[in-house]
Each structure stands twice: as C-alpha cells, then as structure tokens.
C-alpha cells in the first residue's frame, strides 16, 4: 500500500498560515535538502496551495535557474487537487479529486505507485489525520512566534497522539521533526508520573 507524507512549515506557536511572510529568513541548504527529499510521484494538494505552486513553479522551470530541476520534478508529478469548485488547470499532470476526500484517498493508497506527498494544505492534513490515512507528518518548526494566523491543530474534542521517529536541528535553529500516528495515549495521572520518576531514581 502507498504511504502518504505531509510536510509543513510551522512556527513555534503552531501557525502554518502564509509561511512566505516569516519563513524565508530561516531557509538554508539544510532546509533545501529536506524539502527536496519530499518529492514524490504524486502530490495531493489543497486548492490554495495548488494555486500558489501553479503560479510559481512552471515559470521557475521555464527560467532554467538553480531550482529548475526541482520545479520540473513537481511538474512531472501527478497533482491531485482537493477543491469543492471546478477548476481549469494550466499546469501539466493536474486533476481534480473526484468524490469524497477520505474515500478517494483510501482508493488512491491502494493503487500502484510510489509515495504520495502533501505540502501545506492544512485542511487536507487534518482530515487525513482524523481518518487515520496519514502515515508521516514532517514539520519544519521555525524559531519564531508568529502570533496570528491559522494553526495546524484547531479546536476539537479528540486528541491526536503522534510518535516522533526522526529529529534534526538546522544551523538556523529550525527543528526538522518527523512524526507518525501513534496509538491512543491512554489515561495517566500525576501519581502515575511520580511513580515513573521514582522508578528511574532507583
């Protein structure tokens, strides 16, 4: 079965909205390598993220600059766009997701192919996490408190347990954290925590 990995730029206080307004001072070769490593043969994108990508990457590919190869890899990938509105696509290999998101992605994971990547697209990430369809969550945590804007995790009744499987610190202070869904965290109390500490001191 194919795996789905989502990658987001996120501030220290959890903001993921408009990273172009606060992200670039922290971009370096380490982050570039992390982002480039997330390329895949299929991209699953929300409409706003797709519009942003389609407005920039085809021109960068055509310009032939230092990021042209990465732009070409994005252009060559199959791009599935999640939108409630019909769209007219000008970027090659783009298509509209048909039907219900969870049902469509469940079927997509069963198809032949490589890894499926999500960049940004916060609403899509939330829905797939809730449905148990997201396999990895890659967070590039920037050392800045933006203090306004949409956050990755909104208010809700259910918690989202995650397991850290990789961590790296960049020279800029950015933390590159990779999580996967974890089982239910269970119930624990202050007394349980004290008992655990006591065992560690023995």
């Amino acid at each position: 079965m194919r795996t789905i990995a989502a990658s987001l730029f996120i501030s220290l206080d959890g903001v993921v909205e408009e990273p172009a307004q606060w992200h670039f001072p922290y971009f370096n070769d380490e982050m570039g390598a992390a982002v480039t490593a997330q390329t895949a043969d299929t991209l699953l994108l929300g409409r706003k993220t797709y519009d942003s990508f389609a407005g920039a990457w085809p021109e960068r590919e055509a310009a032939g600059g230092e990021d042209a190869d990465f732009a070409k890899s994005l252009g060559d990938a199959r791009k599935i766009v999640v939108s409630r509105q019909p769209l007219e696509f000008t970027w090659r290999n783009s298509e509209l997701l048909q039907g219900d998101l969870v049902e469509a992605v469940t079927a997509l994971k069963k198809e032949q192919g490589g890894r499926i990547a999500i960049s940004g697209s916060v609403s899509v990430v939330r829905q797939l996490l809730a449905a148990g369809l997201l396999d990895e969550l890659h967070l590039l945590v920037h050392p800045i408190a933006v203090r306004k804007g949409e956050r990755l995790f909104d208010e809700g009744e259910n918690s989202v347990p995650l397991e850290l499987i990789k961590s790296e610190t960049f020279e800029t202070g950015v933390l590159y954290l990779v999580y996967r869904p974890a089982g239910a965290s269970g119930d624990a109390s202050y007394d349980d925590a004290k008992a655990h500490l006591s065992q560690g001191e023995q």
Side-chain angles (χ1 to χ4, degrees), residues 19-189:
Q21 296 182 3
W22 44 266
H23 152 71
F24 288 109
Y26 302 97
F27 190 89
N28 65 357
D29 289 342
E30 294 172 301
M31 185 179 291
V35 171
T36 302
Q38 297 310 307
T39 55
D41 64 5
T42 302
L43 303 178
L44 184 63
L45 303 169
R47 182 187 58 79
K48 289 183 180 179
T49 302
Y50 175 83
D51 287 346
S52 175
F53 278 24
W57 289 111
E59 293 182 5
R60 294 181 184 180
E61 180 181 355
E66 61 182 15
D67 56 0
D69 288 343
F70 181 66
K72 183 179 184 304
S73 71
L74 293 177
D76 290 343
R78 179 187 180 191
K79 291 168 284 294
I80 304 173
V81 185
V82 181
S83 175
R84 294 188 178 93
Q85 304 171 357
L87 302 173
E88 293 185 7
F89 296 114
T90 58
W91 197 11
R92 67 185 185 276
N93 301 323
S94 299
E95 63 190 79
L96 186 66
L97 181 134
Q98 300 296 323
D100 175 77
L101 173 64
V102 171
E103 292 178 359
V105 172
T106 299
L108 183 63
K109 292 189 71 171
K110 294 178 181 177
E111 292 179 0
Q112 293 294 320
R115 193 162 129 310
I116 302 164
I118 304 174
S119 182
S121 310
V122 181
S123 175
V124 175
V125 172
R126 288 179 186 149
Q127 292 178 71
L128 296 186
L129 266 174
L133 291 172
L134 192 69
D135 299 290
E136 291 182 2
L137 181 61
H138 296 241
L139 299 179
L140 288 154
V141 184
H142 293 55
I144 180 174
V146 177
R147 302 187 66 190
K148 61 180 179 179
E150 185 177 15
R151 288 167 168 77
L152 173 56
F153 296 108
D154 55 359
E155 293 289 331
E157 295 183 2
N158 298 322
S159 60
V160 183
L162 299 169
E163 177 186 358
L164 182 66
I165 58 175
K166 177 182 176 180
S167 64
E168 186 177 351
T169 304
F170 297 160
E171 290 183 357
T172 57
V174 169
L175 296 178
Y176 177 33
L177 308 175
V178 182
Y179 293 92
R180 64 186 173 201
S185 57
D187 295 324
S189 66

Side-chain angles (χ1 to χ4, degrees), residues 3-21:
T3 60
I4 302 181
S7 180
L8 298 103
F9 297 140
I10 185 169
S11 70
L12 199 59
D13 55 343
V15 174
V16 290
E17 185 178 353
E18 299 293 345
Q21 296 182 3

